[in-house]
Amino acid sequence: MAALVLCALAKTARTTTKRCLVSHLNGTVSTGGLSSALFPSHGPSLPLLPGIRWFSRGSGLRFMSHGTAGKSAGGRTRRAFALSGAALTAGAAVAGFLANANHFQRAEMATKIPQPALEKREDGDILERCRGFMCSPVTDARVLQENKGEMRTKMEMLIMETQAEFCKALEEVDGGTFQVDKWQRKEGGGGISCVMQDGKVFEKAGVNVSVVSGYLTEEAAKQMRSRGKALKGKDGKLPFCAMGVSSVIHPKNPHIPTVHFNYRYFEIEEEDGSRQWWFGGGTDLTPVYVNKDDAFLFHNTLKEACDQHHPQYYPDFKNWCDRYFYVRHRGETRGIGGIFFDDLDSPSQEEAFSFVKSCARTVVPCYLPIVYKHLNDPFTQEEKAWQQVRRGRYVEFNLVYDRGVKFGLATPGSRIESILMSLPLTARWEYMHEPAEGSREAEMLEVLRNPKEWV
């Protein structure tokens, strides 16, 4: 969520709405899937879209949700045909980094333990990799090529690739096209907002990238120091660079969950020329109805990515996620969680980046199989109304508690369209709403009030 706000920090953002897709040039991406040359597979057994299509209706496997359809369904049940044993293994907001004044927990990466070497891939020529993006990167590709070894370049390439990979996977299932909105920030940098609205599958889908730079204000520097950052600027100035990718997806079908992710990087240069840096982010799922198989697939995919780096990361970051995405005035979590971390700056920059990269590469395999599974699930008007009520809770969290949104709305000259892009097109608030006892709606509410361990 915080990453969506970064797009809003341009006081005089010049927006050019255009379609910059060049992914089909020279056959780099076919209509059947994404090019493995541009977007590597998530493991030897999971090619990107072919693996996802395996879950579609075309595979001959039917997936339907469990249990009753809710209090109006008259006891009707859906049989579930599940694939036994299947486990498939965001722009980052300045606001997200600067608005954490009351957040003192830091993500401590333990000393790396012995583990099988992660699969290595050749990044290849940056100019060639840029051809598969939704639009030209925020930083000129030639500058990125000249600074290929710097973390800023590595992170910008990762977030651009994550945006393109996710957008194209969503377009594949929806049949619609993302509107690509590239903007510039007068103070430095800019962003790329990709939005698909009123599609066949997705009511609203947004995937943002931001890369901004400039000087921290004194207030921002105070917030950083309140989080334990010992910052010493030159002549009172602290140069910074922040970047990330963020997404919120609101499907039409109430049996397809909402998903949110963001992964971000922040860097500050001090008076002696030294740099402080850290990463943050996470991925979380917000279903309307409990589906244990979906929850397991989602959480297990994240767990496998975390386990590549340390077995404690998933339980720690899962608990952190449950605590952060909590609607306090309702006494319930926003969804069934996922992972969340911040201030990640150890044990080394490369190892921290490797962890973030592993997490970012889960956004397609942890979500698209669930979308395909429920693509043609029937639903009732009562189930749609319950989805609207749950969306209202989503809006409440974003506007009342989310640090990034609150910071962005309080910042003069903010880009409001980008801040509020995370909100659904429609939502519902009913007076004194309480689901019927024993209903699937009540089952969902019980999970939100008492977070579960899914793996």
Side-chain angles (χ1 to χ4, degrees):
M1 175 61 53
L4 297 172
V5 182
L6 182 53
C7 299
L9 297 180
K11 293 183 180 178
T12 56
R14 303 197 306 271
T15 58
T16 354
T17 302
K18 56 184 178 179
R19 181 66 177 166
C20 300
L21 271 176
V22 293
S23 57
H24 294 282
L25 292 176
N26 297 330
T28 56
V29 178
S30 68
T31 55
L34 300 182
S35 165
S36 60
L38 286 174
F39 305 105
S41 67
H42 300 269
S45 62
L46 184 63
L48 189 57
L49 284 178
I52 295 168
R53 285 185 161 191
W54 188 50
F55 283 82
S56 70
R57 297 183 68 211
S59 67
L61 293 173
R62 295 174 58 213
F63 294 84
M64 302 187 75
S65 57
H66 294 281
T68 65
K71 56 188 176 183
S72 65
R76 176 174 54 85
T77 62
R78 298 190 185 94
R79 294 188 179 276
F81 298 85
L83 186 62
S84 177
L88 300 178
T89 33
V94 169
F97 293 103
L98 305 188
N100 287 330
N102 297 319
H103 186 60
F104 297 99
Q105 183 177 359
R106 53 189 286 113
E108 293 286 357
M109 291 189 72
T111 303
K112 198 175 182 71
I113 63 173
Q115 58 179 305
L118 299 179
E119 181 182 357
K120 295 182 180 180
R121 72 180 181 94
E122 178 58 46
D123 286 338
D125 181 77
I126 283 182
L127 297 177
E128 180 62 28
R129 290 167 64 195
C130 290
R131 295 169 66 84
F133 296 163
M134 297 300 286
C135 198
S136 58
V138 177
T139 303
D140 188 275
R142 291 167 295 184
V143 175
L144 293 173
Q145 182 70 36
E146 293 171 0
N147 299 281
K148 188 175 181 179
E150 291 191 7
M151 184 52 65
R152 291 186 183 187
T153 297
K154 294 178 181 179
M155 188 64 181
E156 184 166 352
M157 294 300 290
L158 174 63
I159 62 179
M160 291 295 299
E161 287 174 343
T162 302
Q163 181 188 54
E165 177 182 345
F166 197 51
C167 284
K168 291 170 186 178
L170 296 175
E171 287 181 335
E172 181 83 7
V173 64
D174 186 275
T177 301
F178 275 91
Q179 174 183 344
V180 181
D181 184 13
K182 188 173 184 181
W183 53 272
Q184 293 179 330
R185 180 173 179 267
K186 181 180 66 175
E187 294 84 355
I192 301 163
S193 298
C194 296
V195 180
M196 180 163 57
Q197 216 164 256
D198 285 322
K200 294 178 182 178
V201 177
F202 305 110
E203 183 177 292
K204 192 176 184 183
V207 191
N208 283 354
V209 156
S210 297
V211 180
V212 304
S213 58
Y215 295 95
L216 289 183
T217 63
E218 181 56 34
E219 179 60 30
K222 287 180 180 178
Q223 293 191 30
M224 292 292 184
R225 294 186 184 103
S226 73
R227 293 163 56 197
K229 304 293 183 184
L231 306 176
K232 296 180 180 180
K234 185 176 182 180
D235 299 325
K237 295 182 177 180
L238 279 166
F240 79 92
C241 173
M243 63 184 68
V245 59
S246 179
S247 178
V248 177
I249 309 300
H250 294 290
K252 289 185 172 180
N253 192 316
H255 298 296
I256 302 177
T258 287
V259 73
H260 157 256
F261 72 83
N262 78 80
Y263 292 98
R264 54 192 184 268
Y265 173 72
F266 200 95
E267 188 178 280
I268 292 178
E269 183 177 339
E270 299 192 83
E271 62 178 343
D272 61 358
S274 62
R275 294 178 179 177
Q276 287 200 44
W277 55 266
W278 57 94
F279 296 89
T283 305
D284 63 279
L285 195 69
T286 305
V288 175
Y289 290 100
V290 177
N291 186 296
K292 294 179 180 179
D293 292 337
D294 293 349
F296 174 82
L297 185 148
F298 182 81
H299 277 267
N300 195 58
T301 304
L302 294 172
K303 181 179 184 298
E304 289 181 350
C306 291
D307 286 352
Q308 294 177 23
H309 301 271
H310 195 280
Q312 197 59 37
Y313 293 163
Y314 170 75
D316 284 352
F317 298 157
K318 190 268 185 189
N319 290 335
W320 196 340
C321 186
D322 289 339
R323 291 195 303 271
Y324 178 73
F325 293 105
Y326 184 69
V327 186
R328 291 193 293 274
H329 63 271
R330 298 283 185 181
E332 60 192 43
T333 57
R334 190 175 72 175
I336 63 168
I339 60 172
F340 180 83
F341 58 91
D342 210 350
D343 290 349
L344 186 66
D345 60 1
S346 63
S348 71
Q349 192 176 53
E350 283 298 329
E351 288 179 313
F353 174 67
S354 178
F355 171 67
V356 170
K357 181 164 58 175
S358 295
C359 294
R361 288 178 177 168
T362 66
V363 298
V364 169
C366 78
Y367 184 60
L368 265 295
I370 298 174
V371 174
Y372 278 103
K373 173 180 173 180
H374 298 291
L375 198 56
N376 298 303
D377 280 7
F379 58 89
T380 66
Q381 288 299 317
E382 289 78 10
E383 290 171 326
K384 185 66 179 179
W386 174 243
Q387 180 194 46
Q388 298 293 87
V389 170
R390 296 314 312 168
R391 282 182 177 175
R393 301 290 200 270
Y394 201 96
V395 172
E396 288 176 22
F397 175 84
N398 287 12
L399 296 182
V400 177
Y401 297 114
D402 189 85
R403 293 188 299 265
V405 171
K406 291 169 65 176
F407 183 89
L409 292 176
T411 301
S414 293
R415 195 164 185 262
I416 302 301
E417 287 299 316
S418 293
I419 294 175
L420 300 182
M421 191 200 74
S422 65
L423 302 183
L425 286 182
T426 59
R428 183 184 181 100
W429 286 267
E430 293 187 12
Y431 182 70
M432 299 293 287
H433 183 275
E434 190 71 25
E437 185 177 351
S439 66
R440 295 183 65 221
E441 292 81 4
E443 178 191 18
M444 183 76 253
L445 200 55
E446 174 63 23
V447 167
L448 299 176
R449 290 172 176 171
N450 300 281
K452 294 181 60 175
E453 299 298 325
W454 299 102
V455 294

